[in-house]
Amino acid sequence: MARAPLTPVQNWDAQLLLLAQDVRVAFFDVDGVLTDGGLLFSGEGEVLKRFNTLDGHGLKLLQKAGITPAVVTGRDSPALRLRLSNLGVTHARFGTEDKVPAAEAILGELGLQWHQAAAMGDDWPDLPVMRRSAFACAPANAHDEVLAVADWITPRSGGEGAVRQLCDLLLAARGAYAGLLAEYAS
């Protein structure tokens, strides 16, 4: 017996979809956004990070829909570089505390402007990029000042699927969500 076609179960507020409909690049912080914000150190001093596979698949889906995921982070580590490489994320700036020039360089490479950008951050260093972007998002466990400027706060926390929730919303705003889901439902 064949199953009925898969219908998306997620629903988003129409106002959020309107805010996000022109997004062509999404900036992500790492610690507290792509990870839970915790830092693990090996006995040799190597920084270890835990990434969520839902978030990783969301970043791949963005790329399929023509939205560029970009990372701008104050830290750098081999683990982070390996994870981004495995996901095909090629637009990244590492070890930068002043994130606006890094984001502007990426915008320039892509031929885009701030009104085509989304940004997800969790702490004060992320505020300048979030405030310039057309759509600002924060994970549920972000700092209060970041939550106050976010257009949308994900139900999930950083490192626990928050990035995927933003990816799904951006895919829906782009009109690509249902089509991509159908590819996996056959």
Side-chain angles (χ1 to χ4, degrees):
M1 179 170 140
R3 292 182 180 251
L6 194 58
T7 303
V9 298
Q10 295 195 46
N11 292 302
W12 294 272
D13 180 83
Q15 290 297 90
L16 288 176
L17 294 174
L18 283 173
L19 276 175
Q21 72 181 356
D22 293 330
V23 168
R24 297 299 176 262
V25 61
F27 293 109
F28 297 94
D29 179 39
V30 175
D31 295 324
V33 174
L34 283 167
T35 74
D36 65 6
L39 296 175
L40 302 173
F41 292 89
S42 72
E44 294 77 35
E46 180 184 9
V47 177
L48 307 173
K49 295 180 183 282
R50 179 184 161 274
F51 297 95
N52 186 295
T53 59
L54 288 174
D55 293 343
H57 190 68
L59 295 175
K60 288 181 178 181
L61 291 171
L62 284 184
Q63 293 173 70
K64 284 182 81 168
I67 300 171
T68 302
V71 169
V72 179
T73 179
R75 293 189 183 272
D76 192 359
S77 73
L80 171 59
R81 287 181 182 255
L82 177 62
R83 179 66 175 148
L84 295 179
S85 174
N86 289 343
L87 295 173
V89 175
T90 58
H91 296 280
R93 299 295 187 275
F94 306 96
T96 179
E97 290 300 319
D98 187 0
K99 295 184 177 189
V100 170
E104 287 178 339
I106 292 170
L107 287 171
E109 290 169 11
L110 297 171
L112 299 174
Q113 297 181 16
W114 285 110
H115 72 272
Q116 297 169 296
M120 184 177 219
D122 72 313
D123 207 348
W124 292 7
D126 305 314
L127 287 170
V129 171
M130 291 175 67
R131 290 175 50 88
R132 284 169 174 77
S133 296
F135 189 73
C137 184
N141 62 329
H143 189 279
D144 290 342
E145 302 300 338
V146 174
L147 295 173
V149 303
D151 296 308
W152 186 53
I153 300 165
T154 64
R156 295 192 181 174
S157 294
E160 311 240 339
V163 167
R164 176 58 178 271
Q165 290 180 313
L166 174 57
C167 291
D168 287 350
L169 185 144
L170 294 175
L171 292 170
R174 179 96 168 152
Y177 186 89
L180 288 168
L181 178 63
E183 290 178 21
Y184 290 90
S186 56

